[in-house]
Amino acid sequence: MYPLADRTAIVTGASRGIGRGIAERLAADGALVAVHYGSDERAARATVAAIEEKGGRAFPFRADLGEPDAVDTFYAGLEAGLAERDAGPGFDILVNNAGASGSGRIHQLTTEVFDRLVAINVKAPLFLIQRGLDRLRDGGRIVNISSAVTKHAFPDSVTYAMTKGAVDTMTLALAKELGPRGITVNAVAPGYIATDMNARRRATPEASAALAALSVFNRLGTPADVADVVAFLVSDDARWITGQYVDVTGGSAL
């Protein structure tokens, strides 16, 4: 039973954390997975190796999404990887997972950090979708990784929260725009997940316990908790779901 056996999926920021979990799950469901990474080639190759060890198919490719030529570099690398596997140039699934964080509170902001977060978290997903529309097959799936911070005040990283709010708005607009082609567009919003991105916030047992206590299940989320929801949204079972913000926080702050 491989529901994605005939599909090609792209997962941005798939070298570690949530992205890696998503890549591994989609590969387990049968998809050929393009594992995008920004800088850590070793981690990306580890993701591919983990997929291949379980009989899946994947390949890595690099593009720094904060650079001005990011979209050109991205699709050049993608097309080369697909061609090597006689599987190009179209694809069926795009998961915009790559993201940058750490802007700080309002009095800590710098224009350099602001510009980089906007470039990676907003500009890149938008223009990756735009450039990919002639490659994305009808009936395809787009999943944008948002965040719970768009529904709850998060002054600790105001720019990050702003960028994820933009992702939510983009998701709504594109769901309506692409509906006539049978393409669904949804946003998945994790809460606190046990990944490197929030390692600082759970640096002590007490801090980790406080974050876990936000969930009604009294634990931190895992990449698999998010990946399983993404796998559903890109499957045929989710064909009637689009334009939605899916809370994947374990009932945080209910």
Side-chain angles (χ1 to χ4, degrees):
M1 297 293 292
Y2 296 104
L4 303 179
D6 58 345
R7 315 285 173 84
T8 296
I10 306 165
V11 183
T12 70
S15 63
R16 59 194 177 97
I18 292 173
R20 175 170 175 165
I22 293 169
E24 291 182 350
R25 173 58 198 270
L26 300 190
D29 284 354
L32 168 63
V33 180
V35 174
H36 162 265
Y37 68 98
S39 60
D40 195 341
E41 180 179 2
R42 183 176 180 179
R45 292 193 178 280
T47 298
V48 171
I51 288 171
E52 292 179 339
E53 285 172 5
K54 295 180 180 178
R57 301 174 298 146
F59 64 89
F61 72 104
R62 179 186 180 280
D64 183 342
L65 298 183
E67 294 297 321
D69 61 350
V71 177
D72 292 336
T73 303
F74 183 95
Y75 278 107
L78 174 66
E79 290 173 4
L82 290 172
E84 288 177 4
R85 288 152 186 81
D86 298 320
F91 60 91
D92 307 278
I93 297 162
L94 172 61
V95 181
N96 282 309
N97 165 78
S101 64
S103 65
R105 291 177 175 269
I106 183 67
H107 60 280
Q108 298 170 313
L109 298 183
T110 66
T111 56
E112 293 79 10
V113 173
F114 178 90
D115 289 345
R116 183 159 181 82
L117 263 63
V118 170
I120 294 173
N121 296 359
V122 182
K123 181 179 178 182
L126 178 64
F127 285 96
L128 290 181
I129 292 170
Q130 182 199 55
R131 184 73 65 86
L133 285 180
D134 62 347
R135 299 169 173 85
L136 180 61
R137 298 183 181 100
D138 289 354
R141 302 284 188 264
I142 298 171
V143 176
N144 300 314
I145 303 302
S146 178
S147 172
V149 301
T150 68
K151 304 299 183 184
H152 304 280
F154 192 64
D156 288 4
S157 191
V158 62
T159 302
Y160 177 76
M162 290 168 62
T163 63
K164 291 303 183 179
V167 167
D168 293 349
T169 302
M170 176 182 71
T171 298
L172 276 174
L174 295 182
K176 189 165 186 177
E177 178 80 13
L178 302 179
R181 291 182 53 192
I183 296 170
T184 67
V185 188
N186 291 290
V188 168
Y192 283 108
I193 307 296
T195 66
D196 293 344
M197 181 174 282
N198 57 43
R200 179 179 60 83
R201 288 183 166 274
R202 49 187 180 85
T204 67
E206 294 78 13
S208 186
L211 294 181
L214 294 173
S215 165
V216 298
F217 304 118
N218 196 34
R219 70 170 176 85
L220 290 171
T222 68
D225 291 326
V226 182
D228 289 349
V229 175
V230 173
F232 166 68
L233 288 173
V234 303
S235 74
D236 290 340
D237 289 343
R239 62 192 175 276
W240 204 236
I241 300 173
T242 195
Q244 299 305 301
Y245 170 99
V246 183
D247 183 297
V248 190
T249 69
S252 292
L254 288 180

